[in-house]
Amino acid sequence: MTSYQAAPNPYELESEAWWVQQWVDLLNSYRFKKRLERGRRYAREGHILRLDFTESKVHASVQGTADEPYKLSIWIDRFADEDWDFVVDTLSQKALYSAQLLAGEMPADIESVFTANGLSLFPFTLADVHSKCNCPDPKNPCKHIAAVYYQLADAFREEPFVLFQLRGRTKEQIIDAIREKRRQQVEENPVEIIAEDTEEVVVAAETKSQTLNLENFWQYDDALDSSLVVIIPADQTVLDLLGPMPLPASDAQVLSGHFTSLYQSVAQQAMMSALS
């Protein structure tokens, strides 16, 4: 879980992934920091009993001073279907995006895709985040909503693609839409493939008229589009099969952590190569 312990900047969380830090920066920019600080303490003390993502809303139960926990919801404006179509069109031009999304990784420059289409994945200010709570506090955010704001940093850390869901599309919907878009591109122009690392369309083979030849009827020389290939991580890794290392516990932990990080990096590169 993301740390909420005090730092030189009392509202700064420890260094995290860029999408988590961007959410934290949004909280830090809020003018009435004392109100958020009360919620920060609530989150740290474990007052949040439940946090769910239903469609494009966040629903939570927070234990306050009353016997029954307070119910609240948080949401941001959904993108229109037409806006998502533009985003998918842009994403489909990069095979690298597809590889990273399939690997469960948020592309580092994903925000530029939305910006190019006149959108912003993140809200500009906390005023763009809508919320309501059934507690008696007339001010918004109340400490219960503020607590969930900080808890959302943890949720984004564990599953960054809920950001897409809050904007109206799940990770699976986006990946399926990208696959379909790239499949259509191949059907419309089968001699072109999408270059993964240059974002350019490269001619894979010249279009040439051929008479039907039964000897090579089943031969296909063009590269298959990467969107037609589905690659999923293995249930077990080589490290799992090797079992515990015959080393002192402290040394084994350090070495295991190093190999785990190295294995994940190699697996990511292999997946991107396979989808190129």
Side-chain angles (χ1 to χ4, degrees):
M1 178 175 288
T2 304
S3 172
Y4 301 125
Q5 300 300 322
N9 179 345
Y11 302 99
E12 182 179 1
L13 305 186
E14 64 185 19
S15 178
E16 276 288 0
W18 67 266
W19 53 87
V20 177
Q21 191 58 51
Q22 192 156 342
W23 177 258
V24 174
D25 290 343
L26 183 68
L27 299 182
N28 290 339
S29 68
Y30 187 61
R31 179 179 176 184
F32 303 103
K33 290 183 170 56
K34 289 293 184 182
R35 182 164 285 271
L36 286 188
E37 175 61 18
R38 296 168 60 200
R40 184 169 173 261
R41 288 198 300 268
Y42 250 50
R44 187 173 56 214
E45 293 168 359
H47 286 262
I48 301 174
L49 306 181
R50 180 180 63 87
L51 183 67
D52 298 320
F53 294 88
T54 305
E55 295 182 348
S56 58
K57 281 190 175 183
V58 180
H59 297 278
S61 296
V62 181
Q63 185 64 61
T65 55
D67 293 335
E68 293 294 324
Y70 295 114
K71 308 294 184 183
L72 63 92
S73 57
I74 297 174
W75 69 98
I76 55 181
D77 293 335
R78 294 164 53 105
F79 294 148
D81 291 341
E82 183 180 19
D83 290 332
W84 271 114
D85 289 341
F86 288 135
V87 170
V88 169
D89 282 340
T90 305
L91 288 172
S92 67
Q93 300 305 313
K94 269 192 174 184
L96 178 60
Y97 284 144
S98 300
Q100 290 178 314
L101 291 170
L102 284 169
E105 179 182 341
M106 177 74 83
D109 55 346
I110 191 70
E111 182 72 18
S112 65
V113 174
F114 291 87
T115 302
N117 291 282
L119 305 168
S120 176
L121 182 58
F122 281 87
F124 288 110
T125 68
L126 206 56
D128 298 323
V129 181
H130 313 297
S131 57
K132 63 179 181 179
C133 179
N134 66 350
C135 75
D137 189 343
K139 301 219 177 144
N140 192 325
C142 61
K143 60 186 175 184
H144 315 106
I145 291 174
V148 176
Y149 281 165
Y150 280 99
Q151 190 72 20
L152 282 176
D154 278 332
F156 294 153
R157 176 178 180 266
E158 296 171 6
E159 180 49 82
F161 300 100
V162 296
L163 287 167
F164 293 159
Q165 184 173 338
L166 293 179
R167 287 298 193 183
R169 288 290 185 277
T170 64
K171 172 185 173 183
E172 291 74 19
Q173 288 174 321
I174 293 174
I175 291 176
D176 289 344
I178 291 173
R179 284 180 178 147
E180 179 61 27
K181 177 65 65 175
R182 297 186 67 193
R183 185 177 293 112
Q184 291 174 1
Q185 292 169 345
V186 171
E187 290 176 352
E188 293 170 0
N189 196 341
V191 299
E192 293 184 351
I193 59 174
I194 301 173
E196 176 184 48
D197 53 356
T198 63
E199 303 180 46
E200 297 176 355
V201 177
V202 179
V203 176
E206 294 182 359
T207 304
K208 50 185 176 181
S209 59
Q210 295 180 342
T211 58
L212 183 61
N213 188 333
L214 295 180
E215 293 182 357
N216 61 10
F217 180 79
W218 296 107
Q219 183 176 347
Y220 186 76
D221 297 324
D222 294 337
L224 289 175
D225 182 76
S226 59
S227 65
L228 301 178
V229 181
V230 177
I231 301 176
I232 59 174
D235 293 332
Q236 284 188 314
T237 68
V238 174
L239 299 177
D240 296 325
L241 296 176
L242 289 176
M245 297 183 180
L247 296 171
S250 58
D251 293 340
Q253 183 177 6
V254 172
L255 193 59
S256 176
H258 171 72
F259 280 126
T260 298
S261 176
L262 183 62
Y263 187 95
Q264 291 173 345
S265 177
V266 172
Q268 170 69 17
Q269 292 298 322
M271 179 171 288
M272 288 191 293
S273 297
L275 290 173
S276 61

